[in-house]
Structure formats: structure tokens, C-alpha cells
Amino acid sequence: MENDTTTALVLAGGGVAGIAWELGFLDGLRAGGMALDDVDLVVGTSAGAAVGAQLATGCLDEAVAAQLEPATNEIAVAVDLDAFRARLADLVAGAADATEACARIGRMAVEADTVSEDVRRAVIAARLPVHEWPALPLRLTAVDAASGALVVFDRSSRVPLVDAVAASCAVPGIWPPTTIHGVRYIDGGARSLTNVDLAVGAGLVLVLVPTVLVDPAQEQLDREIATLGPDVETVVIVADGASVAAIGPNPLDPARRRPALEAGRAQATGEAARLAAVLAGRVSRQPG
């Protein structure tokens, strides 16, 4: 099959601490001998959009180092994650479909009292050492706040990389929707924590999720994986117990960056050999 040798990396949402965990995990894989330049496609949602942009632009070292600095441009937010999820669940109850549910969330986000878009954009710009789209295929998810439709930004979208990442990271009710060409966008996580179905065409899909998956997120992930087809090999890695503890109850707390990164790196140490074997097995199965 044409896609047999193509590897996609899918990076899920998870807040500021989730960014640190994903960076730590990728750094740990690299230290364990896994060549990250073997990745052919990166799909990023919310926190994963920031990490995906950092990785695809070749800035992993700088991004990891920034997580270890006490000073940060990130804005601390006190949020009760369980209450936040419950609020969204109440908001979308009875929606006819996922698009209507996302439109309801979008209306709430537009009406929310948050920092200005300029303030938020400056935070996102500071996360990204490089502001130009990379050559490596990078797909970043967002949701049209008015229609509820999924939007996928990539190099061909004629949208600045910083704006695309800001849109994907615009947590509804927490951060302002991002305005691009007159349209307001919210976090791609409003549609899906992972958006794995955007990795269609890959033969191997590695999914990193900086949280514990429970229903309905687990059910949605299973549906997304099913859309990739029976011949696609998918490896899903979620935060282990130590990582969940390191991230803490508020993933938007910048103070959790260092412990989350270190936990991600430690978890990757135990996974590196298995993932390297998966990659090696795929290479050995190729014809020629």
C-alpha cells in the first residue's frame, strides 16, 4: 500500500502542563534513540498544536529548555477541570450533532470575558521560536466559533503559523477566540481531544495524550482510529499515573511545567524501546 511507510504523530490537547509533558516525552524518545525525523506528518490540537509547531520547525531543544525556566510568558489561570468539563457537557446536551455542539461552545466562547486577543497572541508567539510554517506537513485543528465546523490549518492555508496555533489553543471560556480574516476560531479540542482521523493516509500513527482517557473521549478516539482503516497501525500513549500527578489538577497552571516535562521524559524512557521496535518492524516488512 502507498501509505505503508508513512508515519504520523498526533499530539492531543492538555493545557500548558500538557505542552510540557508532550515535549518531555518527545525529548525522552529522542534520548532513547528514536529518530523523530522519521515522522512524515504532525497533527496538533490545542497544546499539541504548540508542540507540533515547535517540533516541525526544528525547535525541540529550545522548547524543552523554555519549560525548565522559572520565568514564563504564560498566564496563570485557576480552573477546576472537572467543573469545566461538566459545564461544557451541560452546554452541548441535546445537540443534534457534533457541529451543533461546537457552535454552542463557540457562542459561549465569544461571549466570555477573557484577556484580549493581542495579549493572548503574544503568549503564543513567545512559545514559538520560529514563526514560519515548516516544510514538514503540519495540520493544526480549530473550530469555527459561529458554524461549529472543524477547520484544519496547514502551510497552504495562507494563515500565519502563530495565528493558527493561537486558534487551536483558544480554550473556550478561558481564552479569547482567535480572529483570522474576519472569522473567529476556538480550540480544536472542542471537536476532539485528539482529531486522530486527520492522520488519514499514514501507515503508522503514534498518538500522545497528556491525560487519562475516559468516556466520551475514549469512545471518540476509538471511532477516529476506526476511520483510518484496518491496515493502519496505531499506538496510543496516555499519561501514566506519575505523569497525571505531575501535571496536577489544573493543566493550565504554568508552575506544573517542569514536573510535567520531567514526568513525560521519564515515561518515554520506558516506551522508547517498544516504539523503536514498532518502527523497526515496519521498516523490515517493506518490500525491496
Side-chain angles (χ1 to χ4, degrees), residues 86-182:
R87 179 188 180 195
L88 293 185
D90 287 343
L91 190 63
V92 304
D97 54 28
T99 301
E100 181 185 332
C102 286
R104 292 184 185 182
I105 295 172
R107 286 193 293 272
M108 177 272 286
V110 168
E111 296 170 358
D113 183 17
T114 67
V115 300
S116 71
E117 287 191 53
D118 287 343
V119 168
R120 179 59 176 164
R121 191 182 191 279
V123 171
I124 302 300
R127 286 180 184 172
L128 306 181
V130 173
H131 291 179
E132 302 300 322
W133 283 93
L136 176 67
L138 174 66
R139 298 173 185 169
L140 305 181
T141 68
V143 168
D144 183 317
S147 70
L150 171 69
V151 177
V152 182
F153 295 114
D154 61 18
R155 186 184 179 91
S156 68
S157 299
R158 300 185 182 276
V159 168
L161 180 60
V162 172
D163 290 335
V165 174
S168 190
C169 293
V171 182
I174 304 295
W175 305 121
T178 296
T179 304
I180 302 175
H181 303 321

Side-chain angles (χ1 to χ4, degrees), residues 9-13 22 26 42-45 48-49 51-52 55 193-194 206 208:
L9 174 64
V10 176
L11 300 165
E22 290 179 353
L26 294 173
V42 178
V43 177
T45 294
V51 176
L55 175 66
L193 181 67
T194 53
L206 171 61
L208 297 187

Side-chain angles (χ1 to χ4, degrees), residues 131-250:
H131 291 179
E132 302 300 322
W133 283 93
L136 176 67
L138 174 66
R139 298 173 185 169
L140 305 181
T141 68
V143 168
D144 183 317
S147 70
L150 171 69
V151 177
V152 182
F153 295 114
D154 61 18
R155 186 184 179 91
S156 68
S157 299
R158 300 185 182 276
V159 168
L161 180 60
V162 172
D163 290 335
V165 174
S168 190
C169 293
V171 182
I174 304 295
W175 305 121
T178 296
T179 304
I180 302 175
H181 303 321
V183 179
R184 305 196 78 187
Y185 297 95
I186 61 171
D187 197 312
R191 188 253 190 180
S192 167
L193 181 67
T194 53
N195 292 295
V196 169
D197 48 327
L198 297 181
V200 62
L204 171 64
V205 180
L206 171 61
V207 187
L208 297 187
V209 185
T211 187
V212 175
L213 282 171
V214 296
D215 291 337
Q218 180 65 63
E219 293 178 347
Q220 183 164 8
L221 175 59
D222 292 341
R223 289 194 299 270
E224 291 170 1
I225 290 174
T227 68
L228 299 178
D231 297 324
V232 177
E233 189 168 4
T234 305
V235 180
V236 179
I237 297 176
V238 301
D240 60 15
S243 294
V244 170
I247 290 169
N250 178 9

